[in-house]
Amino acid sequence: MITVALPKGALLKDSIRLLQSVGLDFSAFLDSSNRQLQIQDSNNIAKALLVRAQDVPVYVEYGQAQLGIVGYDVLREKKPKVANLADLKFGSCRLSVAVKASSPYRSALELPAHGRVASKFVNCAREYFENLDLPVEIITLYGSVELGPITGMSEAIVDLVSTGRTLQENGLIEIETLFDSTARLIAHPLSYRLNSDNFYQYIEQIRAAIMSPV
């Protein structure tokens, strides 16, 4: 039986809708009264795990799930040993550098050397500023990183942006984009090579589904 790791949060509804289109129904996860973290689809041919988005590639890398759906941002940050099979064309957002609108900075290179940047995406932020040859201190935050510049703890943040509304409401503006992100289909490399549980058929069906007009 094939196991799929699904992300809690913003990608879940579209992930379930996509899998339903290929005959795998995990819509029970959308029931607010459901507390199960592992369920079988209605046809008993596959099961799904409901996990934090950041944990999806971990379950896939270690073989507890053969397939997973996760944002490209998580793959860039964690660099897991998984096969990145397809861009699923939903969950669009971008990882950006943002500062207070009232600050003098309008590009990343204008930030002060050895200044502070707050982020959940520590590895992505560090790699970006190293490539710019701009030494900065990366401050790891797990909550509302917008508070970094607001409180004066940091000059800038590196964070995911979708509509930009949260930044705007907190007096921040984007000054650079590191990369764009969408949901991706990932697989356990060995399971993929061996075609475990004959899941090539699901991969090809998913690829066909994302290419079909809505």
Side-chain angles (χ1 to χ4, degrees):
M1 179 178 289
I2 191 171
T3 301
V4 185
L6 296 178
K8 296 179 180 180
L11 298 181
L12 182 60
K13 284 186 179 180
D14 284 332
S15 298
I16 287 175
R17 188 178 300 116
L18 174 64
L19 292 175
Q20 283 178 318
S21 73
V22 300
L24 300 177
D25 185 4
F26 301 115
S27 56
F29 280 144
L30 299 178
D31 182 349
S32 59
S33 65
N34 178 60
R35 293 294 180 268
Q36 292 178 289
L37 299 176
Q38 176 177 289
I39 60 174
Q40 290 189 6
D41 81 300
S42 54
N43 295 317
N44 294 320
I45 57 175
K47 63 181 178 179
L49 311 176
L50 184 63
V51 301
R52 289 183 61 194
Q54 294 84 350
D55 293 336
V56 168
V58 180
Y59 281 93
V60 174
E61 180 175 353
Y62 283 88
Q64 310 320 122
Q66 288 76 49
L67 290 175
I69 295 176
V70 68
Y72 179 62
D73 55 290
V74 176
L75 298 181
R76 281 286 294 265
E77 176 66 15
K78 288 186 166 291
K79 293 182 168 57
K81 296 176 181 177
V82 298
N84 186 349
L85 301 181
D87 181 345
L88 300 179
K89 310 297 183 183
F90 60 81
S92 296
C93 55
R94 56 196 178 274
L95 192 67
S96 295
V97 182
V99 297
K100 287 179 68 174
S102 59
S103 79
Y105 313 119
R106 290 299 178 267
S107 75
L109 285 172
E110 293 177 5
L111 293 170
H114 305 291
R116 291 172 293 189
V117 177
S119 186
K120 302 181 186 77
F121 295 87
V122 175
N123 294 325
C124 290
R126 182 176 293 115
E127 181 181 356
Y128 176 74
F129 284 102
E130 285 177 353
N131 288 338
L132 291 181
D133 198 25
L134 178 63
V136 297
E137 178 185 354
I138 307 295
I139 300 173
T140 305
L141 291 179
Y142 296 103
S144 300
V145 295
E146 295 85 3
L147 282 171
I150 291 172
T151 61
M153 183 173 66
S154 67
E155 281 76 27
I157 64 173
V158 171
D159 200 20
L160 280 183
V161 179
S162 181
T163 65
R165 181 177 176 182
T166 301
L167 292 180
Q168 183 178 11
E169 291 180 348
N170 287 282
L172 304 180
I173 59 170
E174 293 175 78
I175 59 172
E176 305 279 2
T177 297
L178 280 66
F179 56 81
D180 294 318
S181 178
T182 51
R184 304 299 171 96
L185 179 69
I186 62 173
H188 181 258
L190 183 58
S191 296
Y192 180 63
R193 288 197 297 271
L194 296 178
N195 191 22
S196 300
D197 297 305
N198 197 32
F199 75 2
Y200 280 176
Q201 63 175 330
Y202 297 112
I203 295 169
E204 292 310 312
Q205 287 172 352
I206 290 171
R207 284 175 169 156
I210 61 179
M211 295 298 293
S212 299
V214 177

